[in-house]
Amino acid sequence: MGNITARAPGSLVVAMRTNSASTELPGDEFNQYLEEEGLNNVLALREKFGLMDAPGREIFSRCAKSIILVDEQSQGYDQQMDLPLELVPRTDPLHASTQVPLDLQLLFHGQPLAGALVKAQLKADPVVELTARSNAQGMVSFDLMEPGLWLFNAVHMEPSGDDSADWESLWSSLTIDLTDQFDQAN
């Protein structure tokens, strides 16, 4: 836990990447995880090579980012943080509302990533979850129906070059509190 003090109005973009960790799941659990995260390409490869029952050995790291709007200003909200997998808002969060969709771009090593499942989750009771697949430009658009703390995330997985794992994945997340913006827009 830490404290952050903003020095100027605008968007304070905070990002971090974790060290790699490893996990191994039984084949059926790994396949279910792949389905839940929309990693159809990995599932297809496992099926093609007869590996559906094989355990899933994975190395993963997280690329987390939060945007904090300071003094009701948003300049800098679209700043890229050079994370290997990164969600970048393309709609000014100050303009997000029930009438204006929030557009995000998913980047893999700075380039648009097509075909990835991106989830939007409102931290509420009950939790609200929306999903979209990124287009050729890595873009997704969400019609956010309620204000609050929104978490957006995506997972990208590729075969691993490490002998200790079959797969390497990056988990990207972006959080933005859109409570005040919705109140002002409506």
Side-chain angles (χ1 to χ4, degrees):
M1 187 148 128
N3 295 315
I4 297 175
T5 303
R7 294 184 180 162
S11 293
L12 178 60
V13 181
V14 180
M16 66 160 237
R17 179 171 183 201
T18 65
N19 291 329
S20 294
S22 62
T23 186
E24 184 173 322
L25 293 173
D28 59 338
E29 289 180 32
F30 191 67
N31 295 336
Q32 181 180 356
Y33 155 66
L34 296 174
E35 285 180 27
E36 289 171 2
E37 297 303 329
L39 297 167
N40 301 339
N41 58 329
V42 177
L43 208 57
L45 283 172
R46 285 175 55 85
E47 187 169 9
K48 178 180 178 180
F49 293 107
L51 299 172
M52 294 299 279
D53 294 328
R57 299 180 317 141
E58 175 186 7
I59 296 173
F60 66 93
S61 62
R62 297 178 189 271
C63 305
K65 186 165 122 176
S66 289
I67 298 175
I68 303 163
L69 302 176
V70 179
D71 291 338
E72 298 177 18
Q73 295 186 38
S74 61
Q75 61 270 23
Y77 70 89
D78 56 353
Q79 180 179 355
Q80 293 181 28
M81 302 300 288
D82 295 324
L83 296 168
L85 187 66
E86 183 171 3
L87 286 160
V88 180
R90 295 303 182 203
T91 302
D92 185 335
L94 281 180
H95 297 124
S97 71
T98 54
Q99 293 83 31
V100 178
L102 184 71
D103 295 335
L104 303 173
Q105 187 175 34
L106 182 61
L107 301 174
F108 179 58
H109 295 291
Q111 300 301 310
L113 182 62
L117 181 67
V118 180
K119 298 177 183 178
Q121 188 177 76
L122 174 63
K123 298 298 183 179
D125 187 20
V127 172
V128 174
E129 187 169 282
L130 308 171
T131 60
R133 285 236 177 235
S134 58
N135 67 16
Q137 292 78 39
M139 298 294 296
V140 293
S141 185
F142 290 104
D143 293 320
L144 306 177
M145 67 291 273
E146 294 183 44
L149 180 62
W150 282 90
L151 168 66
F152 304 90
N153 62 57
V155 178
H156 179 67
M157 185 180 289
E158 295 184 338
S160 175
D162 189 311
D163 289 339
S164 68
D166 302 313
W167 304 99
E168 184 170 352
S169 65
L170 294 167
W171 299 359
S172 177
S173 66
L174 170 67
T175 56
I176 309 174
D177 188 344
L178 298 173
T179 304
D180 295 336
Q181 290 69 20
F182 272 66
D183 292 343
Q184 293 169 10
N186 295 322

